[in-house]
Each structure stands twice: as C-alpha cells, then as structure tokens.
Amino acid sequence: MTADVETDEETLTVSRHDNAYVAPIQTFRPVDPDRGHGWYDGGAFDDTTAFIPNAAHRFAVMHHEPRAPQGEELGAEIEGGRYLYLGILDNVHFGHFISDGMARLWAASLAEAPNRLVYSFQRPHAGAGKFMEPVLRAFLGDKELIPVTHTRRFERLWVPQAARFPGGFVRGTPQSRAFFAQAVDRILTTTDTATNGPVHDKIYVSRTGLPLEHPHAALLFESLIEDNLRQEGYHIVHPQTLPFDQQLLMYRNAKQLIFAEGSALHVYPFAGTPDQSCFCITRSRFRFQQFDDQIASFGLAPLQRSPLTAKQFSHVRNNGPSTAYLGTVDLVALRAALVQGGFISGKTWQLPSLADYQHEMARLSAFYTIDADALAGAWHRGQ
C-alpha cells in the first residue's frame, strides 16, 4: 500500500510504503572515461521490489542504477514501526555530504514524521565519516539515526522527494528553507559552543589548513591573501577545526563573508541572512554554478566572485576526474573585485614578492604538478 502526502504548492511529496526494502550500495563503479560516467546501485524499494521514484539519487557524474533486492535479501525480516528515508549519504567527501545529503532532511519536521531515520553510505566500504554524526545530530536533534549496511525491510517507510537541483545539490524550497532556518535557530540558542562562541563582522573562510598530502584543491598565494584580508579587518576561519554549530554561528552573524571556493560554501546557505554580502574566490578555470544557485534558492543576496583562474595544476594523487587542483588567482583582479564589491578598501593590498613565489614553489611542488614555465612572467600577479 502506498499513499502520497502533498506538502505544499511546491509539489514536494512524501510517499509512504508498507513492508518496503532499503538496500545499501553493493556496486560502486568509478567514472569510466569511455562512458563518461560511473554508476552505483542501492536505494529504496516497495514491497514488490519496484524502485520507489522518490528515492531517486544523483551524485556528481555518477549514474544511479538501482538493483532490486533478490535472493536472500527478499527474506529480510520486517522491522516493526515507522521510518523516514534520508537517502544515500556521502560518507567520505564532506562537500557532497553537506550538499547532496541534506536534500531530504526537510521531511523530518513534518507533523507525525517518524523519529527513526534510515540512510545508506555512498562509499559502502569506507564506514561512517567522522563529520556525519555531528551534522545530522545538529539538524535532527535526538531522532534515531540508522545506517543501513545490508538490505533491510521496514513495516512503514516514508520516502520524501529530495529538495535538490538536477545536478544533485540541495535546493532551497519553502519546505527546506523553513526546516533549516528553524534548525539553525534552535542550534544557535541551545548549544553551549554556539551560544558562547565568537562572532566577527568580517570573516575569510580559508583552505590553508587542509593537508596538502591529500588531494584537496588549493589556491596559489592563499597565505598572502589571508595577510591582505587581515589588514582589512577579516578574521581567518578554518572551518574543519571548529564544531559544526560554531561554523553556523559565524556564518549567521558575519556581515561580510569571503570564501575560498570549497565545501564550506555549501554550509553557508543554511545559516545565511539576506542582508549579508558573500564573495567567492574562484579556484578553477570553470565556474561551479551550483554555489550561486544554492545561495539564490535560499533567498540570500547574489554571490559575488573573482574572475576564473588563469591556470590550474592537478594534484599528484589525482587518479581520475577530480576538482583537486592548485588554482592561480590574479591578485590584481581579485583586489579590484573586492574593492568594487565593498569588501575591502584595497589601500594595503600587497602582491607577491620573489621570495613569496620561491616559498610557494618549495611548499607546493611536491603535491601539485606545477609547470614553472607556465607561471613565468605572471607569478608577480599571482597567476
């Protein structure tokens, strides 16, 4: 038996299913250059093992190809009670977890919504990421979190439609905006680390604290950018060192926010307010439009940006399609964009010296495939 619950005019629905299956991903194939995509299975299925449409998932350039339960899986014992399906959550990459994985949380606030929440892992062999529990607990409170690591069957399963863009990233809808606004208000008024945490009018959310040995994206001369912004009164934030509620606190209370493009910018729409100004230092030759779209969908002021980078160099540990690049930034153009946007005065802005350039080459060359010749004649601008 299946019943659809209309939630509002935005047409997001919750379908409810008796004796439904939830299957974890058992096959995860990386991107095949010949096919242009990878694929994975897993998902939620009704009592006939038909895939439940509301459980459709999207992950980057991977295709979701659900495989119905079969064989011994069909004999899974029915677990009594009511459960809410959160979907397939990335357990390795924080950026995909916080953007893709939040798309069904809105349904947890519906009247009579189940208090037991089930989900599976995007990377089934990696286990739960350490970032998952704090974020889910912050947004969902004391609801029971149930990771599904083998096919299970539930007496009553609610499957919400995901509030997301076609590319998979969470989208602000009336339901999701209301959910996150209420959740963040609760977090900021009830948790000790948030109520007693520091706030700053101007913050720069940096990537310099991420370990270079892992294939992360980075910006050439980012330490110099930090120094320049400190002179303009900005507090430097390394979000990975802060409790999640303090990150939300800083994003809610700052008047001007500058981000080095990355995962932290996916968190900002949940806590931001329309009267803030937000700027992104682009790290790639390609524009990741999902940041702009997410921010706009949550009713915030348009994201301001630096120009696209002139060059990018791959991380030595890249083994396939990846955004783990060292991006160059035209520091002259960056200064002009920040001045035009009212983020800085620009009076104390410094460009790199030869010593700065040599230090960056020594620090980064072991981790990125830097072509020094490509930087010749332009490094003094940062590009």
Side-chain angles (χ1 to χ4, degrees):
M1 170 182 166
T2 300
D4 286 335
V5 179
E6 293 289 340
T7 53
D8 70 11
E9 71 281 0
E10 190 78 359
T11 72
L12 288 184
T13 62
V14 178
S15 58
R16 297 184 291 184
H17 305 267
D18 294 333
N19 303 328
Y21 296 88
V22 174
I25 291 176
Q26 299 186 36
T27 303
F28 185 94
R29 293 282 184 264
V31 175
D32 182 340
D34 294 331
R35 297 176 68 185
H37 62 81
W39 63 274
Y40 55 93
D41 53 19
F45 304 82
D46 68 17
D47 60 345
T48 71
T49 73
F51 182 69
I52 298 171
N54 271 6
H57 186 66
R58 179 66 189 268
F59 173 68
V61 294
M62 305 285 288
H63 286 195
H64 187 199
E65 301 179 8
R67 179 190 64 82
Q70 54 191 269
E72 294 182 357
E73 296 171 291
L74 298 174
E77 181 179 349
I78 296 175
E79 302 177 42
R82 301 183 313 124
Y83 300 80
L84 176 67
Y85 180 69
L86 295 183
I88 300 170
L89 308 186
D90 198 308
N91 49 318
V92 171
H93 191 289
F94 175 75
H96 281 290
F97 168 74
I98 200 67
S99 55
D100 309 355
M102 303 293 103
R104 289 187 175 87
L105 266 60
W106 64 270
S109 63
L110 292 176
E112 301 183 358
N115 286 320
R116 286 176 282 191
L117 314 182
V118 299
Y119 56 91
S120 60
F121 296 140
Q122 182 74 61
R123 328 288 178 111
H125 304 299
K130 64 180 181 180
F131 49 78
M132 298 182 73
E133 178 91 4
V135 173
L136 293 174
R137 283 277 168 239
F139 284 139
L140 298 169
D142 60 0
K143 295 181 183 293
E144 184 178 356
L145 302 175
I146 305 173
V148 173
T149 57
H150 61 277
T151 298
R152 296 169 67 168
R153 198 172 186 187
F154 301 102
E155 181 182 19
R156 190 69 160 164
L157 185 69
W158 287 34
V159 183
Q161 188 177 1
R164 62 160 54 106
F165 290 101
F169 296 90
V170 64
R171 177 170 61 96
T173 68
Q175 303 99 312
S176 61
R177 286 196 297 268
F179 170 81
F180 287 110
Q182 292 168 9
V184 172
D185 285 345
R186 172 181 51 78
I187 292 165
L188 298 187
T189 55
T190 59
T191 62
D192 289 340
T193 51
T195 54
N196 297 312
V199 295
H200 305 273
D201 285 346
K202 299 180 178 182
I203 61 173
Y204 173 61
V205 184
S206 169
R207 298 184 64 86
T208 58
L210 298 176
L212 292 173
E213 61 269 21
H214 297 300
H216 291 297
L219 293 170
L220 189 68
F221 296 120
E222 189 178 6
S223 293
L224 179 59
I225 293 172
E226 289 180 343
D227 290 343
N228 281 325
L229 292 176
R230 284 192 190 94
Q231 292 298 314
E232 298 277 356
Y234 281 82
H235 177 76
I236 310 303
V237 176
H238 299 284
Q240 72 278 6
T241 68
L242 299 175
F244 186 66
D245 54 1
Q246 280 196 10
Q247 297 175 45
L248 297 173
L249 177 72
M250 287 197 172
Y251 301 158
R252 169 62 64 85
N253 286 281
K255 293 181 174 62
Q256 294 180 302
L257 306 91
I258 303 174
F259 287 79
E261 187 176 65
S263 299
L265 190 49
H266 287 302
V267 180
Y268 167 64
F270 303 140
T273 60
D275 59 339
Q276 294 171 319
S277 299
C278 185
F279 188 99
C280 173
I281 300 180
T282 305
R283 70 176 195 231
S284 172
R285 291 177 298 180
F286 310 99
R287 184 182 181 113
F288 293 104
Q289 183 65 29
Q290 59 264 33
F291 292 113
D292 308 69
D293 294 341
Q294 276 188 294
I295 286 171
S297 74
F298 276 84
L300 306 179
L303 180 65
Q304 301 181 53
R305 282 181 173 268
S306 65
L308 298 179
T309 63
K311 304 174 184 70
Q312 60 187 34
F313 305 103
S314 180
H315 196 281
V316 296
R317 290 180 56 190
N318 277 2
N319 56 5
S322 172
T323 58
Y325 294 108
L326 172 68
T328 64
V329 180
D330 185 335
L331 297 181
V332 175
L334 174 60
R335 174 191 176 277
L338 289 170
V339 169
Q340 183 178 11
F343 289 87
I344 64 171
S345 70
K347 295 177 181 178
T348 60
W349 193 263
Q350 297 293 313
L351 296 178
S353 66
L354 178 59
D356 292 329
Y357 173 70
Q358 292 171 337
H359 177 264
E360 285 290 84
M361 291 303 99
R363 185 174 71 91
L364 298 170
S365 293
F367 304 102
Y368 297 92
T369 56
I370 300 174
D371 181 355
D373 292 337
L375 292 174
W379 62 262
H380 60 283
R381 292 176 64 101
Q383 62 166 340

